[in-house]
Amino acid sequence: MEYRKLGNTGLEVSRLSFGASSLGGVFRPVVEEIAIQAVHTALDGGINFIDVSPYYGLTKAETLLGKALKGIRRERYILATKVGRITATDFDFSANRVIASVDESLKRLGVDYVDLIQCHDIEFGSLDQIVNETLPALQRLCQTGQARFIGITGLPICVFHKVLDQTQVDTILSYCHYTLQDTTLAGHLPYLETKGVGIINASPLGMGLLTDRPPPNWHPAAPAIRAACARAAVQCRKKGQSLSQLAIQFSATHPGIATTLVGTADPKEIEQDLCWMDQPLDLELLAEVQALLAPVRDQTWLSGRIENN
Ligand code: NAD
């Protein structure tokens, strides 16, 4: 496994990392012992960065991750969680709530500190509040030792500019914007580099769009995007290949991205994902798939407040 610097944090994160939303059962029901095995397989395979949130499975993912991490030396993993997103529609970025939220997360995770605390999906909140109230509150948690670094996450990339033009954070987490179907993030890397932030790229499989299975019902992609991805999966199968393999290899290759977070609660899938890191990208298949996805290239969906898109 290759390890890369996460911005100016001094942390060295694995090029492929583990996203724990699957542990909350967001894609399909989870069997606890198997999900725990998935976390152990990830760590044994060299992954050292794990991302979670109280929102995933409405605290279920953090609780399950806490069980999986029990007995594992704390120095073996770099742990990130989030604040502010409570349910699909409820958000609270107030200082009091986010400070209490971190306390609750630490208890569920069974740790004394997290390495990274992130404001979750800031496009749903007031960016003024994020800049003037939430981030300063998280900064105070870094002084008390409950967290080491602070970050922001969201779908519309413009929110990162709006925040970073006003204040500093250590990391940004962008999702579904550096995949086979959407590479918008690449155009923003020069700006993000000037801000010195560590770049976390999540959802290389487009939250299930770029696999052999249909995406979950809640997936926000338009029918045209789903259909083009399904055609790409058929093309890969025709060649005896897997769209997931191509997708993960593609997303985890950009040198300007510190780490790419993939999610699964299945040890066999994370084992495959790890194995794909050591195999070369099939450039001929990549060109064929990119041609099939060209009509929906960089198409995305609205997320959060209109003014934040
Ligand atoms: P993803 O693109 O990683 O796709 C997950 C889906 O891919 C799951 O259904 C999983 O079973 C499947 N999968 C994984 N490996 C596979 C394989 N080898 N073969 C077939 N299918 C495979 O999407 P994600 O889980 O949403 O994103 C990864 C992580 O990134 C999340 O768990 C979360 O930690 C983070 N994330 C954060 C935000 C945010 O902060 N707003 C948003 C999205 C994702």
Side-chain angles (χ1 to χ4, degrees):
M1 176 65 74
E2 180 191 342
Y3 298 86
R4 293 179 176 175
K5 287 188 191 334
L6 184 62
N8 294 330
T9 61
L11 299 172
E12 301 239 334
V13 287
S14 45
R15 178 160 72 99
L16 187 71
S17 47
F18 186 83
S21 68
S22 282
L23 269 47
V26 303
F27 289 96
R28 58 197 76 85
V30 168
V31 179
E32 192 168 298
E33 303 75 60
I34 295 180
I36 289 174
Q37 235 180 295
V39 177
H40 294 169
T41 306
L43 290 170
D44 292 344
I47 285 178
N48 73 349
F49 179 58
I50 303 177
D51 173 73
V52 70
S53 164
Y55 167 56
Y56 301 148
L58 309 180
T59 70
K60 197 175 153 200
E62 280 192 339
T63 303
L64 188 40
L65 183 60
K67 289 185 188 174
L69 295 175
K70 208 168 174 202
I72 296 177
R73 274 186 302 110
R74 183 64 188 85
E75 318 79 71
R76 259 194 85 188
Y77 55 87
I78 294 166
L79 185 57
T81 192
K82 312 194 184 85
V83 294
R85 181 157 206 170
I86 298 164
T87 70
T89 50
D90 293 336
F91 293 80
D92 190 342
F93 289 103
S94 66
N96 286 345
R97 176 85 287 271
V98 300
I99 286 170
S101 174
V102 173
D103 248 356
E104 292 156 12
S105 289
L106 294 178
K107 286 198 184 84
R108 283 189 288 267
L109 291 163
V111 293
D112 299 329
Y113 68 94
V114 286
D115 298 277
L116 178 63
I117 188 72
Q118 305 161 101
C119 299
H120 197 170
D121 292 343
I122 57 172
E123 68 270 24
F124 286 87
S126 144
L127 297 186
D128 281 343
Q129 186 185 31
I130 300 286
V131 168
N132 297 311
E133 180 177 342
T134 322
L135 289 169
L138 298 185
Q139 203 71 67
R140 288 197 292 280
L141 291 180
C142 294
Q143 280 147 22
T144 61
Q146 285 163 293
R148 297 176 66 196
F149 300 101
I150 62 171
I152 48 178
T153 87
L155 183 76
I157 298 181
C158 65
V159 293
F160 301 137
H161 290 254
K162 288 177 184 171
V163 169
L164 291 169
D165 283 346
Q166 298 180 65
T167 191
Q168 273 191 316
V169 297
D170 300 301
T171 63
I172 63 101
L173 183 159
S174 160
Y175 70 100
C176 291
H177 284 315
Y178 193 74
T179 70
L180 288 172
Q181 181 259 322
D182 181 337
T183 57
T184 321
L185 177 63
H188 297 266
L189 293 177
Y191 166 83
L192 294 168
E193 273 156 27
T194 64
K195 297 291 174 184
V197 291
I199 293 156
I200 303 166
N201 171 40
S203 309
L205 299 166
M207 302 193 299
L209 275 178
L210 297 161
T211 73
D212 274 326
R213 282 178 291 227
N217 288 338
W218 51 259
H219 202 293
I225 302 178
R226 288 165 178 258
C229 293
R231 283 194 290 277
V234 170
Q235 178 64 16
C236 292
R237 279 201 298 276
K238 260 195 217 155
K239 295 272 173 110
Q241 306 277 343
S242 137
L243 177 60
S244 305
Q245 171 171 358
L246 192 76
I248 290 181
Q249 289 178 327
F250 175 80
S251 288
T253 299
H254 198 298
I257 289 171
T259 188
T260 293
L261 277 167
V262 68
T264 180
D266 180 345
K268 287 193 239 57
E269 284 186 352
I270 194 70
E271 206 173 319
Q272 267 185 328
D273 301 342
L274 282 160
C275 181
W276 292 337
M277 286 297 94
D278 297 327
Q279 293 172 15
L281 187 61
D282 182 336
L283 294 175
E284 196 183 307
L285 185 64
L286 176 65
E288 288 168 12
V289 163
Q290 282 176 327
L292 286 169
L293 295 175
V296 293
R297 172 93 197 251
D298 294 348
Q299 284 185 18
T300 185
W301 46 86
L302 280 180
S303 176
R305 300 183 180 185
I306 296 293
E307 69 269 23
N308 290 339
N309 277 262

